């Protein structure tokens, strides 16, 4: 089984670490691993400090609440995003305003962004889609400084450590990270806020300290995810054993869904507003310790996709795609549905971030204030985009390339 969505980062060492942690109950909530993770993350972003939470979306919601914005303040987001970005905005009684994207780095079209800024705009969420540094990042930051706007850079998909070593964050900036199961670094759930603003950091630390840890039942399910997912993936092609196991554990509720039914219905779900426990830090530390190796391998697979699928790309690949630091390689194709169907018949399940302007596709767009036609470039890309996995063997990558070609 090859999948972009299902446990793209999980391997035997991750599964073993999770099993060991499952039987180390005394280290579930507190332990030294969390301090090691915090120190490691902060080395990637010099001059900053971090606060950790149980998810990236709960971290974003807490950050927005901490900014104490007037009700109905506008937050500009791009029309090529997901509910995890938009629902926290609405939950805090703020208004999402959607700006279109450019087709090279899948981030803000700077002209449309500038048109969407009003006297009621207070925040811009600058998304690093697929871990690519936005084409107009510097212009967005300059615009925000001129108009006294707060910028939240969304690094949920991934980030380039070398790039951030050279950046200096201002007091009008914060970064969000996600350690969800489909992100570049996975502890199944988790997120962090990065800031250089000491006053903001103090407020965030106070909120973090007041939160509860997730329940033991929740942690057991999370710690079972990596071993179960590795078992499922490794046996999926053998007499449907993995497929049967997946179905049984889903029916039994042994796997916690990445997105809750409440969120799919278009409402923020506060169940993840919890402390980040040491148990998940232990899982994240495994991935951080092999992060350089992982990025190197993703680079090899990305280069292979670029060279062999260049003819099918609607726009040039070039520098933007060679700077990918996510679990997904974006590809635009005309016959999207047919290709995905043909690949799934061979147990190859590709992603389609994003199939509509605010994903997932089950989400009713009127619930998040999006009007079709407001971001035409994003809507066209929604129809054509598929995502290829980047943490797979060269042999598996060549198998995908053969079918697509």
């Amino acid at each position: 089984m090859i999948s972009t969505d299902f446990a793209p980062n999980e391997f035997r060492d991750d599964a073993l670490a999770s099993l060991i942690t499952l039987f180390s109950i005394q280290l579930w909530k507190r332990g030294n691993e969390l301090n090691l993770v915090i120190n490691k993350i902060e080395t990637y972003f010099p001059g900053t400090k971090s606060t950790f939470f149980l998810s990236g979306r709960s971290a974003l919601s807490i950050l927005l609440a901490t900014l104490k914005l007037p009700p109905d303040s506008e937050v500009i987001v791009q029309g090529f995003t997901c509910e995890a970005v938009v629902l926290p905005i609405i939950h805090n009684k703020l208004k999402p305003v959607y700006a279109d994207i450019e087709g090279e780095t899948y981030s803000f079209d700077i002209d449309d962004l500038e048109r969407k800024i009003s006297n009621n705009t207070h925040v811009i969420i600058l998304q690093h889609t697929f871990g690519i540094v936005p084409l107009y990042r510097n212009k967005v930051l300059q615009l925000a400084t001129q108009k006294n706007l707060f910028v939240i850079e969304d690094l949920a998909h991934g980030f380039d450590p070398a790039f951030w070593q050279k950046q200096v964050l201002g007091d009008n900036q914060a970064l969000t990270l996600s350690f969800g199961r489909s992100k570049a670094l996975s502890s199944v759930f988790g997120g962090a806020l990065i800031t250089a603003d000491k006053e903001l950091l103090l407020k965030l630390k106070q909120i973090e300290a007041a939160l509860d840890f997730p329940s033991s039942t929740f942690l057991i399910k999370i710690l079972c995810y990596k071993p179960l997912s590795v078992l499922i993936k490794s046996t999926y092609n053998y007499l449907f054993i993995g497929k049967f196991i997946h179905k049984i554990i889903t029916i039994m509720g042994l796997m916690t869904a990445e997105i809750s039914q409440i969120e799919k219905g278009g409402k923020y779900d506060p169940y993840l507003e919890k402390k980040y426990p040491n148990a998940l830090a232990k899982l994240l530390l495994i991935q951080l310790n092999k992060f350089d190796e992982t990025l190197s391998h993703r680079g090899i697979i990305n280069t292979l996709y670029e060279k062999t699928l260049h003819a099918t790309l609607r726009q040039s690949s070039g520098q933007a795609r060679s700077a990918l630091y996510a679990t997904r390689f974006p590809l635009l194709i005309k016959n999207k549905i047919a290709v995905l169907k043909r690949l799934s018949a061979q147990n190859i399940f590709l992603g389609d971030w994003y199939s509509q302007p605010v994903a997932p596709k089950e989400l009713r767009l009127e619930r998040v204030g999006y009007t079709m036609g407001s971001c035409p470039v994003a809507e066209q890309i929604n129809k054509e985009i598929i995502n290829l996995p980047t943490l797979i063997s060269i042999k598996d990558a060549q198998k995908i390339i053969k079918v697509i070609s």
Side-chain angles (χ1 to χ4, degrees):
M1 175 191 186
I2 303 171
S3 176
T4 311
D5 292 315
F6 185 71
N9 293 305
E10 318 304 355
F11 295 92
R12 290 181 181 177
D13 57 337
D14 300 290
L16 178 60
S18 199
L19 277 175
I20 293 172
T21 306
L22 183 63
F23 295 99
S24 305
I25 301 174
Q26 73 280 7
L27 297 176
W28 281 7
K29 294 183 178 179
R30 293 182 175 85
N32 192 47
E33 284 80 7
L34 181 53
N35 292 327
L36 294 174
V37 162
I38 291 171
N39 291 336
K40 183 70 172 176
I41 289 293
E42 289 177 358
T43 62
Y44 293 134
F45 306 95
T48 68
K49 292 294 181 181
S50 61
T51 46
F52 279 67
F53 301 92
L54 192 55
S55 76
R57 51 194 182 271
S58 65
L60 175 59
S61 181
I62 289 167
L63 173 59
L64 290 171
T66 305
L67 294 177
K68 300 291 184 183
L69 303 173
D72 295 324
S73 293
E74 293 176 353
V75 178
I76 300 185
V77 296
Q78 62 181 60
F80 188 74
T81 190
C82 66
E83 45 72 39
V85 176
V86 179
L87 294 184
I89 298 171
I90 298 171
H91 175 68
N92 282 281
K93 296 181 170 50
L94 308 173
K95 180 183 178 182
V97 174
Y98 298 94
D100 210 351
I101 62 171
E102 41 76 22
E104 185 175 344
T105 63
Y106 305 102
S107 190
F108 281 127
D109 176 301
I110 191 66
D111 294 328
D112 196 44
L113 170 63
E114 193 161 4
R115 283 193 294 268
K116 298 294 173 63
I117 294 174
S118 74
N119 292 334
N120 201 32
T121 303
H122 288 79
V123 177
I124 296 173
I125 297 182
L126 179 58
Q127 182 173 300
H128 291 230
T129 313
F130 302 114
I132 309 171
V133 176
L135 185 62
Y136 298 110
R137 177 180 182 263
N138 290 340
K139 290 185 178 181
V140 172
L141 295 179
Q142 291 169 6
L143 190 61
T145 300
Q146 292 168 7
K147 296 184 178 291
N148 195 29
L149 306 177
F150 195 90
V151 177
I152 301 172
E153 296 198 61
D154 180 1
L155 310 186
H157 291 184
F159 62 91
D160 172 10
F163 174 82
W164 287 102
Q165 288 291 314
K166 304 172 186 176
Q167 305 306 310
V168 178
L169 263 62
D171 288 344
N172 69 329
Q173 282 178 270
L175 313 178
T176 60
L177 303 180
S178 175
F179 310 120
R181 65 196 71 179
S182 59
K183 302 306 193 300
L185 290 164
S186 164
S187 58
V188 188
F189 278 98
L193 297 173
I194 311 292
T195 182
D197 185 332
K198 293 180 180 179
E199 185 178 344
L200 177 59
L201 177 69
L202 179 61
K203 294 176 182 177
L204 292 171
K205 288 289 186 184
Q206 290 172 343
I207 294 172
E208 180 188 27
L211 294 175
D212 295 325
F213 283 106
S215 69
S216 295
T217 301
F218 184 90
L219 286 175
I220 289 171
K221 288 183 179 182
I222 300 309
L223 292 171
C224 285
Y225 177 83
K226 291 189 180 236
L228 287 174
S229 63
V230 169
L231 175 63
I232 290 166
K233 287 172 68 176
S234 62
T235 60
Y236 204 89
N237 295 347
Y238 297 99
L239 302 174
F240 302 104
I241 293 173
K243 190 173 184 179
F244 177 75
I245 295 171
H246 193 191
K247 187 172 183 179
I248 292 298
I249 64 175
T250 301
I251 292 172
M252 294 175 65
L254 293 179
M255 279 192 175
T256 302
E258 191 169 15
I259 303 174
S260 72
Q261 289 301 316
I262 291 175
E263 290 168 319
K264 288 181 180 179
K267 186 177 180 181
Y268 177 76
D269 192 341
Y271 81 109
L272 294 176
E273 290 190 357
K274 304 286 185 182
K275 277 187 173 71
Y276 187 69
N278 190 67
L280 300 194
K282 286 172 70 69
L283 306 186
L284 186 56
L285 193 58
I286 297 294
Q287 301 233 328
L288 284 169
N289 287 338
K290 58 181 179 180
F291 195 31
D292 290 343
E293 179 185 345
T294 298
L295 290 177
S296 176
H297 184 78
R298 283 180 179 143
I300 292 170
I301 300 301
N302 287 335
T303 301
L304 181 61
Y305 287 147
E306 287 178 354
K307 289 182 177 179
T308 55
L309 296 173
H310 180 75
T312 65
L313 291 174
R314 199 174 64 175
Q315 72 277 4
S316 62
S317 53
Q319 185 177 357
R321 281 194 171 76
S322 64
L324 284 165
Y325 292 89
T327 58
R328 300 161 185 258
F329 180 94
L331 181 68
L332 302 181
I333 56 176
K334 296 294 184 182
N335 51 342
K336 171 179 173 175
I337 296 175
V339 169
L340 292 177
K341 185 176 180 180
R342 183 171 180 180
L343 284 161
S344 65
Q346 300 184 42
N347 292 331
I348 301 172
F349 305 100
L350 302 187
D352 60 353
W353 283 4
Y354 294 106
S355 56
Q356 65 177 25
V358 184
K361 59 186 176 182
E362 298 94 339
L363 180 68
R364 292 169 55 186
L365 293 176
E366 62 268 23
R367 292 283 184 91
V368 291
Y370 184 86
T371 302
M372 289 299 291
S374 59
C375 297
V377 174
E379 291 171 21
Q380 183 59 39
I381 290 175
N382 291 150
K383 298 175 184 177
E384 301 179 13
I385 197 161
I386 62 173
N387 318 148
L388 315 184
T390 59
L391 200 54
I392 57 175
S393 67
I394 292 176
K395 182 179 179 181
D396 284 343
Q398 290 171 335
K399 186 176 181 181
I400 292 171
I401 289 164
K402 183 177 180 181
V403 176
I404 293 175
S405 297

